[in-house]
Amino acid sequence: MAALTQKGTLFRDILAELFRLRAVMLESAERLTAAVGLTSARWQILGAIEDAPAPVAHVARSLGLTRQAVQETADAMARDGLITFLDNPDHKRARLMSPTAKARKALDYLRPRQLQFANLMGAPHSLDALGATLDVLRKSRALIESKGTAS
């Protein structure tokens, strides 16, 4: 078995911290979205279709989720009056999800809080550090995607 290099050890520690960060971010998002009757999953989907209607498969790809998971959430959102499905001129079966007025009201409530949170979280870091972090994460994702596996 190969030994971890110094970079491998540091990257392993970064991944562990990312998992912990994801957990507390989701918990925080759940508390915030509860005020408007959403979940973090529904907020993610609404964010993906806020500017333009999109099919389930496109939203799933953009969020790194399965089509089935997004479809299940979208169906529940439609039942709850948060989205409507529109005909897609480019594809007969892949209808477009579009937010309703109810969803836009929730997004209007969340937007300033999201901006405040992003500013708060970014404030203690330099632009260079934030840029380097984003670069490492994007390159890491691209490497995994190009290899088709995490190993």
Side-chain angles (χ1 to χ4, degrees), residues 19-33 39-41 44:
F19 287 130
R20 289 189 293 270
L21 176 61
R22 179 184 182 274
V24 297
M25 291 290 294
L26 286 174
E27 184 179 308
S28 176
E30 291 295 334
R31 283 193 309 270
L32 179 61
T33 57
T39 63
S40 60
Q44 285 181 6

Side-chain angles (χ1 to χ4, degrees), residues 17-119:
E17 191 59 36
L18 276 173
F19 287 130
R20 289 189 293 270
L21 176 61
R22 179 184 182 274
V24 297
M25 291 290 294
L26 286 174
E27 184 179 308
S28 176
E30 291 295 334
R31 283 193 309 270
L32 179 61
T33 57
V36 289
L38 294 179
T39 63
S40 60
R42 289 177 175 208
W43 186 18
Q44 285 181 6
I45 291 171
L46 289 175
I49 62 171
E50 181 177 10
D51 295 329
V56 166
H58 174 79
V59 170
R61 278 190 303 276
S62 73
L63 296 176
L65 301 170
T66 66
R67 187 201 58 77
Q68 293 84 353
V70 173
Q71 185 67 62
E72 183 178 310
T73 303
D75 289 342
M77 291 171 72
R79 285 190 302 273
D80 292 342
L82 293 166
I83 65 167
T84 57
F85 287 102
L86 308 172
D87 288 337
N88 184 345
D90 298 325
H91 195 286
K92 288 183 181 182
R93 291 181 47 200
R95 295 183 305 159
L96 303 172
M97 296 183 294
S98 181
T100 63
K102 179 180 178 180
R104 291 198 181 278
K105 184 176 177 181
L107 289 170
D108 288 345
Y109 172 87
L110 294 169
R111 190 173 300 106
R113 288 152 180 85
Q114 181 182 24
L115 296 175
Q116 181 183 19
F117 180 78
N119 288 336

Side-chain angles (χ1 to χ4, degrees), residues 115-127:
L115 296 175
Q116 181 183 19
F117 180 78
N119 288 336
L120 175 73
M121 296 303 292
H125 309 288
S126 71
L127 287 175

